[in-house]
Amino acid sequence: MTLDQAKLGQTVTVLRVRGEGALRRRLLDMGVLRGTEITVEGTAPLGDPMELSLRSYTLTLRRADAALVEVAPACPRAPHPRHTATRTLDKLLLHPVLALPLFASVMLGMFWFSISLVGHWTQALGEALGGTSLLGGPGGKALLDWWLAGQGCPLWFRDFLLDGLLAGVGTVLGFLPQLTALFFCLSFLEGCGYLSRGAYLLDRAVRRFGLSGSSVVPYILACGCAVPGALACRTIQRHGCRCLTVFTAAFLPCAAKLPVIALVAQLAFPGGWWLAPAAYGVGLTAALFSSWLLSGSKRFPKEDIPFLLELPDYRLPPSSALWGRTWERLGEFLKKAGTLLVLSSAAVWWASSFGWTGTGFAYLSSGALDHSLLAALGSALAPLFSLAGWGDWRAVVACLTGLLAKESIVGTLAILGCPAALYTPAAALSFLLFNLLCPPCLAALAARFQELGQGRLFLFTLVYQTAFALLVSIGLYQGACLLGLP
């Protein structure tokens, strides 16, 4: 008799583990040894993997791997009292019918709370304090302008502080409440033990795309930031699956892309609460499609290593640890906002404020943006994006600054102004899709390069992701034009 033939609730004793190589070693490392008693606690809603209890802890094992373990019936063990509360909760949260809808509801609820509810409160507060739009209100800017004028600051320096740093960085920092709420929810799900259940529930569903249940946690963490999403892939044993997860997790919209989603929603879809969950759905679809397309190729080979995951007991995370983890993630975001975002905002302002005039290279007035250095660069690349519906140099430049930090896209548009194309639904969606699916920021790319460890593979992922994003955005816009949609 093998372990996969054991019935629910049955306790068996391990006789021997068949097979050889990495698969057998992994089973032995996890405690599946001769003489060990194993109790079958349950199976995932899709029938695979199995949930097993041994040596006072719980782990998961696929049925195909369990077939390698020869067992014999043993006397049933009394349930450990420490597992009573966890068992009770798992009866609901891992229910064969309700588990997947509950998990989807938890994920959607997390994004609705952080993006829609907290975002609505933030917008209402901003309007109450004098702000009139996402790109900032006049109150704080007018006060700072008055103070700088009184100090005798040169005009160019005042413009740099007001139209460069304040407009660029200040706009992005206005999204801190939404980011704090998202990081808090992720920290809670991770600390209470529910996040690992998501890997257990979805292993069979993602396996057909060349991934494993271990890929689920990096995917969820990537919704907060692509950097920890990439670093979390270190726990994946299969090399091909690990590299594929590191690459495709970047398709999931991170917290830095929330300002871009909110901007497009306000410009082209006022009141369009559905845009945020739709963006996450598009990112997940792109990740799974790319995984299915590339899995088993020379760059991402398939390997036969079992999926073993320990399921910790449920617990209420201590408030100190919960808020500590939240502030740690928020601090990483602020650190990036204080470095890359400031540098990109300063660079955008400088390149948009200086250019060649009839008298030579000089500081330009506010109405002469078309003669700036930035306009020359954006205009050179604009024809490439004209088929996507937003071939305006300002939109192109905003995408380029997004390579430094995705939140810089909104900051750049706050400095340069939003082109008219972004006020139309088709072009706005095309712009959003490109920025959702194109390569992530420099910090995330550095983490990807570190985890992949191969220069050629890293370059392949850059070319693939850029081409994929461009083709999808062009296809959406051209399809909308054929259908006569605006």
Side-chain angles (χ1 to χ4, degrees), residues 14 35 48 55 87 92 116 120 130 167 177 202 209 212 271 313 349 379 388 406-407 481:
V14 177
D48 201 16
R55 299 181 183 274
R87 287 283 132 223
L92 173 64
S116 181
H120 175 73
L202 298 176
F209 299 100
S212 75
D313 290 345
W349 176 86
S379 299
K406 291 302 177 183
E407 54 269 33
C481 291

Side-chain angles (χ1 to χ4, degrees), residues 126-397:
E127 292 175 354
L129 295 178
T132 56
S133 70
L134 182 66
L135 298 182
K141 184 176 180 179
L143 180 62
L144 183 59
D145 188 22
W146 172 81
W147 184 81
L148 291 174
Q151 300 298 317
C153 291
L155 176 61
W156 68 269
F157 186 70
R158 287 162 53 190
D159 289 345
F160 168 68
L161 292 179
L162 297 175
D163 299 327
L165 292 185
L166 182 64
V169 179
T171 298
V172 175
L173 295 183
F175 292 93
L176 283 182
Q178 293 99 309
L179 299 181
T180 303
L182 180 61
F183 291 149
F184 179 85
C185 293
L186 283 174
S187 299
F188 179 82
L189 293 177
E190 189 177 11
C192 73
Y194 186 62
L195 209 54
S196 60
R197 263 73 179 180
Y200 167 68
L201 292 171
L202 298 176
D203 175 70
R204 185 173 182 180
V206 300
R207 201 188 314 167
R208 64 191 64 185
F209 299 100
L211 303 171
S212 75
S214 300
S215 305
V216 175
V217 173
Y219 270 32
I220 296 176
L221 294 179
C223 294
C225 179
V227 175
L231 299 180
C233 297
R234 295 178 179 180
T235 60
I236 302 177
Q237 297 295 317
R238 290 167 45 196
H239 175 74
C241 180
R242 181 170 65 252
C243 293
L244 195 58
T245 305
V246 169
F247 164 45
T248 57
F251 282 112
L252 275 296
C254 64
K257 296 178 183 178
L258 293 183
V260 186
I261 298 173
L263 174 64
V264 171
Q266 184 181 23
L267 295 179
F269 304 94
W273 62 268
W274 50 268
L275 191 61
Y280 283 92
V282 169
L284 179 61
T285 301
L288 295 179
F289 172 78
S290 299
S291 299
W292 171 81
L293 183 66
L294 300 174
S295 177
S297 63
K298 183 179 179 180
R299 293 182 175 88
F300 303 99
K302 291 184 177 181
E303 297 146 307
D304 191 18
I305 295 179
F307 170 63
L308 290 170
L309 176 70
E310 183 178 354
L311 299 180
D313 290 345
Y314 291 108
R315 66 188 184 96
L316 188 63
S319 58
S320 58
L322 186 59
W323 284 109
R325 185 60 179 150
T326 300
W327 292 122
E328 180 184 350
R329 288 172 169 167
L330 190 62
E332 293 173 355
F333 175 84
L334 291 175
K335 182 179 179 181
K336 184 169 63 174
T339 53
L340 294 177
L341 185 53
V342 169
L343 291 175
S344 64
S345 297
V348 168
W349 176 86
W350 183 85
S352 63
S353 300
F354 290 87
W356 296 97
T357 63
T359 58
F361 187 78
Y363 176 69
L364 304 175
S365 62
S366 59
L369 282 175
D370 290 341
H371 300 286
S372 65
L373 297 174
L374 203 60
L377 175 62
S379 299
L381 298 176
L384 182 63
F385 299 93
S386 59
L387 292 176
W390 42 278
D392 188 285
W393 68 269
R394 291 169 293 181
V396 175
V397 167

